[in-house]
Amino acid sequence: MKMKNSYRILECLLLGMGVILFGIRKLDQKCIDSWKTAAARNQALYVLMNRWTYIKQEGKKLQTYFLKRNIRKIAVYGMGDVGRRLIKELQHSEVEIMYGIDRNAKDICSSINLVTMDDDLPDVDAIVVTLLNGYDEVAGALSERIHCPVIAIEDVLNEV
């Protein structure tokens, strides 16, 4: 009888350890997936900023892209690092940034007027999306709200 109880306890312990190890493995996979996502985003940001740096070193200006297309008033979607750099780049140019769009607009301090997608979107000549991922989704949503070109920041940098 004592031996049976010992086996039963051992079985329970092994089963418990198996459950714990399974949980740890699931947690490890979530961490790995999170790191992979962050690495891909960082790589995309590196490529974009490297291209932007090259353009600056060549003496080119982003305003050229807009002026060639007769775009004088824009809105910037995304107030992260890329969006803030674009605003700074165009600050003293012939391209006027009318406002920024960001889902966290109320929590962001900025030198320009900020709105969310749910707010009124005043007319502009174009909206530049500065997100690294999700352009198609954002462009589709913006196209339903306002009738102007929606441009990815990558397109601006590739066509200057």
Side-chain angles (χ1 to χ4, degrees):
M1 189 70 138
K2 231 180 191 184
M3 196 66 143
K4 253 187 178 175
N5 284 341
S6 295
Y7 282 125
R8 200 178 253 336
I9 291 171
L10 185 58
E11 268 183 343
C12 287
L13 285 174
L14 289 175
L15 181 62
M17 285 176 45
V19 169
I20 290 169
L21 289 175
F22 179 77
I24 290 172
R25 184 175 171 115
K26 278 283 204 190
L27 184 61
D28 283 348
Q29 191 59 49
K30 283 183 181 179
C31 288
I32 290 168
D33 292 345
S34 173
W35 293 335
K36 283 181 180 179
T37 301
R41 185 184 185 292
N42 288 337
Q43 182 180 16
L45 182 59
Y46 169 79
V47 169
L48 184 129
M49 292 308 219
N50 188 51
R51 174 77 180 134
W52 200 331
T53 302
Y54 177 77
I55 288 166
K56 297 287 285 178
Q57 289 173 338
E58 292 294 307
K60 297 177 182 176
K61 298 181 185 254
L62 296 190
Q63 74 173 349
T64 306
Y65 172 92
F66 301 104
L67 298 178
K68 279 183 182 177
R69 291 159 180 81
N70 201 29
I71 296 172
R72 303 271 191 240
K73 295 182 179 196
I74 67 167
V76 175
Y77 183 97
M79 292 294 110
D81 293 330
V82 178
R84 291 192 311 271
R85 295 292 71 77
L86 179 61
I87 291 167
K88 183 83 169 168
E89 171 99 8
L90 297 175
Q91 197 169 27
H92 299 290
S93 74
E94 295 176 53
V95 179
E96 185 179 359
I97 299 173
M98 302 303 292
Y99 58 94
I101 308 167
D102 196 284
R103 65 179 171 209
N104 299 315
K106 291 168 183 62
D107 300 326
I108 299 171
C109 183
S110 177
S111 60
I112 66 169
N113 184 38
L114 297 180
V115 298
T116 68
M117 285 280 280
D118 297 328
D119 294 327
D120 183 41
L121 302 179
D123 290 336
V124 289
D125 298 329
I127 298 175
V128 181
V129 176
T130 63
L131 302 180
L132 298 175
N133 296 314
Y135 168 80
D136 292 333
E137 218 176 277
V138 169
L142 287 169
S143 295
E144 292 175 7
R145 301 274 332 274
I146 191 166
H147 301 290
C148 68
V150 179
I151 305 164
I153 186 66
E154 292 93 340
D155 292 340
V156 175
L157 294 173
N158 289 331
E159 295 179 32
V160 169

